[in-house]
């Protein structure tokens, strides 16, 4: 099929190529309603599709947003990307997705690649806690927005969930159930603000109630199994708190494989939900992060900066939902 050119569209609509270009870039000026309607009708009838590259060159806009996640295999990332993509598409932008693989070195390389591709903004799930790690982005005058995690000192707008409040609410309910010993299972905490916030909140809440608490970091499936076996050997009434969805689901898999009865032998809760925990055992009480909603708000706020040039560091909190079931 022959590709329709902007010249043919202009001739058919009886206007100049400049007018068509202005129409495509939503720069209507004094263009009449009749002219706009006629151009729109011709574009649809001829099936004209403008070249994104050509538009970018003329308008000095790439209409590209870079998105870097720490681990794309995580369900959180999938839902986050869906939310971001939905908003960007509605606004005529496309996203370039990058996976840092939980590596600070790889993350920096990917960010540089995005800058080389002239993205208009970047949404980042940071792998480092240090703001200075991202200072080089400022030199390019490219807007940066953080999701899920914060850096120190705070320099960029961020979209997070209410980690402290949600964790505390679940723990206080667990304490009412008579648990004596609490165990936080987490992937390595260093550099990840959310893991630190959640583990610290558990420890502070439990110690304030004069109960025992231990934080155990696991970097592999073998370490997770070993940790759970050690926890199960404890004689007191105990609760396991998983710091994220991956740890929660892997812990449940270990407990089910060992035919452990929940919550009689051990209680379990943590982040995230994703509806899967409703199907396990007696139903798992968990904290459901609104990952897709976080993505939508992140995209909306970044576009405000990109399009309206509003640079205002701000923290946006999107509350999580606690799904109360019978595992605690």
């Amino acid at each position: 099929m022959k590709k329709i050119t902007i010249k043919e569209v202009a001739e058919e609509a009886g206007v100049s190529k400049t007018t068509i270009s202005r129409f495509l870039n939503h720069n209507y000026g004094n263009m009449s309603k009749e002219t706009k309607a006629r151009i729109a009708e011709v574009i649809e009838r001829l099936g004209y599709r403008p070249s994104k590259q050509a538009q970018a060159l003329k308008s000095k806009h790439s209409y590209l947003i870079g998105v870097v996640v720490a681990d794309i295999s995580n369900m959180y990332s999938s839902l986050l990307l869906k939310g971001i993509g939905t908003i960007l598409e509605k606004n005529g932008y496309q996203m370039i997705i990058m996976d840092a693989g939980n590596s600070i070195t790889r993350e920096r390389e990917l960010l540089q690649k995005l800058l080389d591709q002239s993205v208009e903004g970047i949404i980042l799930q940071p792998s480092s806690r240090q703001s200075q790690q991202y200072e080089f982005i400022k030199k390019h005058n490219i807007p940066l927005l953080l999701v899920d995690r914060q850096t120190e000192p705070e320099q960029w707008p961020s979209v997070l969930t209410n980690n402290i409040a949600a964790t505390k609410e679940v723990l206080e309910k667990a304490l009412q159930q008579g648990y004596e010993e609490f165990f936080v299972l987490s992937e390595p905490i260093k550099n990840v603000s959310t893991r630190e916030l959640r583990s610290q909140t558990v420890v502070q809440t439990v110690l304030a109630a004069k109960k025992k608490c231990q934080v155990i970091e696991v970097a592999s499936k073998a370490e997770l199994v070993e940790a759970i076996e050690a926890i199960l050997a404890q004689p007191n009434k105990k609760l396991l708190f998983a710091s994220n969805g991956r740890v929660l689901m892997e812990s449940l898999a270990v407990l089910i494989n060992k035919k452990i009865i929940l919550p009689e032998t051990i209680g379990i809760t943590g982040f995230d939900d994703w509806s899967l925990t409703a199907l396990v055992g007696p139903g798992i009480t968990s904290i459901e992060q609104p990952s897709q909603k976080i993505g939508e708000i992140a995209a909306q706020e970044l576009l405000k900066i990109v399009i309206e040039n509003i640079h205002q560091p701000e923290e946006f909190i999107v509350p999580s939902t606690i799904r109360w079931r019978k595992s605690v």
Side-chain angles (χ1 to χ4, degrees):
M1 182 182 290
K2 178 178 176 290
K3 185 173 176 64
I4 302 297
T5 66
I6 192 171
K7 180 181 178 183
E8 290 171 308
V9 174
E11 289 174 351
E12 186 73 16
V15 297
S16 67
K17 288 195 296 182
T18 301
T19 301
I20 299 296
S21 181
R22 283 171 48 215
F23 175 88
L24 294 171
N25 288 304
H26 309 290
N27 181 20
Y28 303 122
N30 296 321
M31 199 180 299
S32 68
K33 289 182 180 180
E34 292 77 11
T35 300
K36 285 193 284 186
R38 188 166 70 254
I39 293 172
E41 185 276 326
V42 170
I43 286 174
E44 185 173 354
R45 174 160 50 83
L46 296 182
Y48 173 69
R49 292 180 63 81
S51 164
K52 285 286 182 185
Q53 291 89 343
Q55 280 186 298
L57 285 171
K58 290 179 181 178
S59 64
K60 294 185 180 179
H61 288 290
S62 66
Y63 298 98
L64 295 174
I65 299 295
V67 183
V68 181
V69 293
D71 180 7
I72 204 166
S73 68
N74 194 306
M75 180 70 82
Y76 178 94
S77 299
S78 300
L79 295 171
L80 179 77
L81 291 169
K82 184 174 182 180
I84 293 171
T86 300
I87 298 301
L88 293 184
E89 185 178 359
K90 285 180 182 176
N91 288 274
Y93 281 78
Q94 295 177 312
M95 63 176 169
I96 301 175
I97 302 168
M98 300 285 198
D99 175 21
N102 291 309
S103 166
I104 294 175
T105 303
R106 176 170 168 75
E107 178 189 69
R108 188 180 179 92
E109 292 171 356
L110 296 176
L111 288 169
Q112 189 59 61
K113 284 183 179 179
L114 289 174
L115 295 173
D116 292 342
Q117 294 185 57
S118 301
V119 295
E120 293 190 45
I122 295 174
I123 295 174
L124 172 68
Q125 183 187 29
S127 294
S128 172
R129 288 284 298 278
Q130 307 305 316
S131 292
Q132 66 182 29
Q133 182 72 18
Y134 310 107
E135 285 285 345
F136 72 102
I137 297 174
K138 281 186 176 180
K139 298 175 184 175
H140 293 263
N141 200 29
I142 299 296
L144 173 65
L145 183 141
L146 308 181
V147 289
D148 183 42
R149 305 167 181 176
Q150 186 55 274
T151 59
E152 299 172 355
E154 296 183 13
Q155 292 190 35
W156 295 279
S158 58
V159 183
L160 317 165
T161 193
N162 57 335
N163 290 288
I164 294 174
T167 300
K168 194 170 183 180
E169 186 176 348
V170 168
L171 263 293
E172 287 176 344
K173 179 74 174 285
L175 285 163
Q176 292 172 13
Q177 301 298 317
Y179 286 96
E180 293 291 327
E181 203 159 355
F182 295 75
F183 299 87
V184 179
L185 269 186
S186 173
E187 292 178 307
I189 293 171
K190 183 182 178 183
N191 291 322
V192 183
S193 62
T194 49
R195 295 174 193 169
E196 183 175 358
L197 279 174
R198 293 167 189 175
S199 61
Q200 283 181 348
T201 302
V202 175
V203 171
Q204 290 167 3
T205 306
V206 171
L207 294 183
K210 295 181 169 50
K211 305 295 181 183
K212 295 180 180 178
C213 187
Q214 183 179 350
V215 177
I216 304 172
E217 296 181 53
V218 292
S220 68
K221 182 69 176 289
E223 289 183 8
L224 180 90
V225 173
E226 186 180 336
I228 290 176
E229 288 175 346
I231 292 168
L232 289 171
Q234 303 304 311
N236 296 327
K237 185 173 182 180
K238 48 198 168 286
L239 181 89
L240 190 159
F241 183 95
S243 66
N244 64 19
R246 172 173 288 164
V247 173
L248 179 59
M249 298 313 293
E250 289 187 356
S251 297
L252 286 169
V254 172
L255 293 172
I256 290 168
N257 186 52
K258 291 180 175 295
K259 296 181 170 55
I260 301 299
I261 300 172
L262 305 173
E264 287 80 359
T265 304
I266 186 170
I268 185 169
T269 186
F271 288 78
D272 282 279
D273 185 79
W274 308 322
S275 300
L276 298 175
T277 44
L279 309 175
V280 179
I284 308 302
T285 292
S286 56
I287 303 168
E288 179 182 351
Q289 292 188 91
S291 313
Q292 186 169 337
K293 185 68 176 176
I294 288 172
E296 291 172 357
I297 292 175
Q300 288 167 356
E301 294 305 319
L302 183 66
L303 288 180
K304 283 182 185 177
I305 301 171
V306 170
I307 298 171
E308 301 173 35
N309 200 30
I310 299 173
H311 291 266
Q312 186 176 357
E314 197 170 344
E315 192 172 85
F316 300 88
I317 302 295
V318 188
S320 288
T321 301
I322 299 175
R323 301 297 182 187
W324 298 107
R325 300 190 180 101
K326 299 178 180 179
S327 67
V328 174

